[in-house]
Amino acid sequence: MTTAPGAAAPVVTAGPASPAVPAPRRPGRSPATGGGAPDGPRLPRWLRAVLPHTTPGRLRGYATGLVLVLSAFAVLGAMSVAARQSAAADLRENARLSTDAGEIHRLLADADAAASAAFLAGSVAPPELRQRYDEDIARAAEYIVRAAESLSAPTAAAPPPASGRPTAGPDATADPGAWAVPPATVADCADGSGGAREQVCVLNSQLPVYTGLVETARANNRQDFPLGGAYLRTASQLMRDTILPAAEQLYRVQSDQVRQDQERATEVPWAAVLLGVAALALLGRSQLWLFRHTHRVLNPGLAGATVLVLGTVAWLVTAGLVSSERLQRSEEQAFASVRTLTTARAEALQARGAENMTLVLRGAGADFEADFVDRTALLDGREAVAGSGPDPDLEALREEYAAQPLGGGLGDAAGLAEDGAGRELVARADQAMLDWRVVHQHIRAKDDNGEYPEAVELVGATAQPGPEEDGAAPAEPVELTDLTATTAFAALDQALGEAIQHEYGQFDRYSASGQAALAGLAPALVALAALAGTSGLVGLNRRLAEYR
């Protein structure tokens, strides 16, 4: 439109506003994100379901971790419990084998004491002494066979019986030492380890040699040949230098095995406990994450899994602590007392044999008397009291010995005994030990004064009973003047035997209860872990279902 000169400019009125035209967006951006996320093709559902930054992926990650941790917890926990149960069973079995080894030592030492006592009785030994010797040897042989079977130990071939040579008369060999310890046989047993197999082999090979020497000594003694004493001395030296040390080492090896079993049976299953704690941490983290993202306070499935895992870990820890306490107590206290008492009983038997051999050798037994002094010192820790003439004041001697504090093996046993019955048995053994010391002092006074028949009479060799059966009623008290070494020693041996049985009963109760504390735990642990895993997966899958 043309406007004339000088005319007013037309007024232009504004019409309705036109809609704004959107600015062109840059390619590659999504309108829904306001320029945030790329506008490329959508990710597949399966990939979005497993990516950790997505909610389904996070849930599946928790589920996978829970399954893996609980599976490892169940497997390692069950394996550790089964291993501890096996170690507890081994502990009880090896304790039995250790007791058998101690019985081998006791029977052999008693057989040696019976052989020397029979020799003291004269050319015709009392039948009860012969029977006692035979029974001791037979029972010891049975225990050795059992030990060999338990160890599957190869045994050395036994040497030929003594009947292969003249046993009495002028044609018998004048060198009894030629019968002792065939070097090749003992060398064949040695494997350098000093273990149970080697000791069983030594016992198997040397026991027939010992019995052959004893039979030869008896044959000579029946005919009043002085060579019998030499054979008996050689037999006793073989017993003391080779056979009894092998039995003692066998007992020591088996006892050490008990200690190792106790250590294995009380090991803490740290791996299983840590995995249980890890499972609890994972369950707690997953529930906290769900609360923050869904504002749901409780997930029943995960809460149930948490309770199950917590209960399982608590059971594992509690049962393990109870089992460890009882098994540790069984080995460190009850079985330690058994070891101490068994050693004391063996020392007493060897001292008894040394006492007899001192008289058998008639003035040539100084070494055996020194051995008696050393072994009795190991028994009660007391020092020998000097006597006064051939007829010492026995009551005064006993008071002097009783004034000395109890030590040695009996003192250790008194300290280890944990109840009144055990301490009473040790006190009985101590009283018998005091009696034996006094009688032995009287024997030595008579022998040193040239009163050999009176000394032999004080030994009581002509009417010598064997050790009393464990559990039999204690013998009635006897006046010191009427006591013999036989009756005093029998009272000591009986008290020690009963104390060993009592302490072993304590061990058996503690070890059985320690083993029972783990009963059923391994399968229950697997079942509870599986149930906890199932509960946790159910809880997580309910949240996953919301994203399908």
Side-chain angles (χ1 to χ4, degrees), residues 73 92 307 319 342 374 468 471:
F73 170 65
R92 301 186 69 191
V307 171
T342 300
D374 292 341
E468 297 289 338

Side-chain angles (χ1 to χ4, degrees), residues 59 62 66 281-291 302 540:
L59 291 173
Y62 281 132
L66 185 61
L282 184 59
L283 285 166
R285 180 71 181 87
S286 62
Q287 291 175 86
L288 180 62
W289 185 86
L290 281 175
F291 170 72
L302 291 176
L540 292 170

Side-chain angles (χ1 to χ4, degrees), residues 84 262 265-268 319-329 514 517:
R84 292 183 66 178
Q262 181 264 330
T266 56
E267 287 180 352
V268 179
L321 290 175
V322 171
S323 176
S324 295
E325 188 273 333
R326 292 175 182 174
L327 290 173
Q328 191 169 1
R329 191 174 182 183

